[in-house]
Amino acid sequence: GAVVSQHPSRVICKSGTSVKIECRSLDFQATTMFWYRQFPKQSLMLMATSNEGSKATYEQGVEKDKFLINHASLTLSTLTVTSAHPEDSSFYICSARTHPYGYTFGSGTRLTVV
Amino acid sequence: GQNIDQPTEMTATEGAIVQINCTYQTSGFNGLFWYQQHAGEAPTFLSYNVLDGLEEKGRFSSFLSRSKGYSYLLLKELQMKDSASYLCAVRKDSNYQLIWGAGTKLIIKP
C-alpha cells in the first residue's frame, strides 16, 4: 500500500533555530499533502494544504512566514519551522491524498523547543 | 460552521462490543472516515463511508446516515490493543480537506 515516510520522528532544538520536517511518498505520487499539528489530548489541526508545484494554502491563524512549506516534487514535501519557540512544541503530521478516496499519514514528528 | 461531535472517553471490557458515535454538521459532505490513533503515533485508517448503511471489515464496522448527520464505529471482540483514540473525520467537498472530530479515547479493561 501507499507509504509516507516522515523524518525526523523526534527532534529537540534550541529556541530561535529552524527545524525542517520531510515527508516522502515512497511508492506513489503525492500531488496533495496536508500538514497537521496536534497538541496533547487534542485532535488534528490542519495547518496548510500543499499541491505540487504551487504555493501552499494556509489555514486561518497559521503564519506562513513561520511555517514554510515546500512541495517541489511529487514525492517530497517539507515543513520548516523557522525561529522556533517553546510554544511551537507539538506533534506534526503530514498526510497525502491517495486514490481513490484515502489518505496516508506519515509517522509524525515530535518537536520539542527548549 | 463546521462541527463534529464525539464522546471524549469511553470504557469497555475486553471481549465485549463498543459503539462510538459521531454526529456532524458541515456545509457539504463527501465521505466520512474513521481513524485509530495510539498515543504518540499517526492515525491509521479504519473505514470510509460515503453512502448510507453499514460497512463491515473484520471486527470493525462503520455505519452512516447522511440524513441524520450520524455515524458510528462498532468494535467487536475487544482486545487490549484496541485501547486508543478513535477519530471521526468528514470530507466536505472536492478540495479533499478533512474536518476532524476531537477523538474518543477508548479504554479497555480486562
Side-chain angles (χ1 to χ4, degrees), chain A residues 36 38 43 49 97 101 103 106, chain B residues 33 37 42 91 96-97 101:
Chain A
Y36 295 92
Q38 185 176 33
S43 192
T49 302
R97 184 171 70 87
Y101 49 71
Y103 303 83
Chain B
F33 296 78
Q37 185 179 27
R91 181 168 62 201
Y96 298 106
Q97 290 180 354

Side-chain angles (χ1 to χ4, degrees), chain A:
Chain A
V3 175
V4 173
S5 176
Q6 182 171 349
H7 293 281
S9 58
R10 292 179 179 270
V11 58
I12 301 173
C13 70
K14 291 184 178 181
S15 187
T17 61
S18 296
V19 173
K20 179 184 282 189
I21 301 170
E22 291 189 350
C23 280
R24 293 181 182 273
S25 56
L26 299 185
D27 48 5
F28 69 102
Q29 294 181 330
T31 54
T32 302
M33 191 75 77
F34 302 97
W35 285 93
Y36 295 92
R37 65 188 299 180
Q38 185 176 33
F39 292 105
K41 300 183 179 181
Q42 295 186 23
S43 192
L44 300 171
M45 293 175 49
L46 181 65
M47 299 175 65
T49 302
S50 72
N51 292 295
E52 183 268 337
S54 62
K55 290 184 179 180
T57 302
Y58 289 80
E59 295 300 299
Q60 191 172 9
V62 178
E63 301 175 58
K64 60 181 67 177
D65 293 331
K66 181 170 184 60
F67 298 99
L68 301 178
I69 291 173
N70 185 287
H71 196 160
S73 78
L74 288 171
T75 59
L76 176 64
S77 179
T78 62
L79 166 67
T80 301
V81 183
T82 62
S83 186
H85 291 285
E87 57 265 31
D88 298 324
S89 298
S90 187
F91 191 53
Y92 293 86
I93 311 174
C94 62
S95 173
R97 184 171 70 87
T98 55
H99 293 280
Y101 49 71
Y103 303 83
T104 297
F105 286 84
S107 54
T109 298
R110 173 74 59 193
L111 171 64
T112 303
V113 184
V114 298

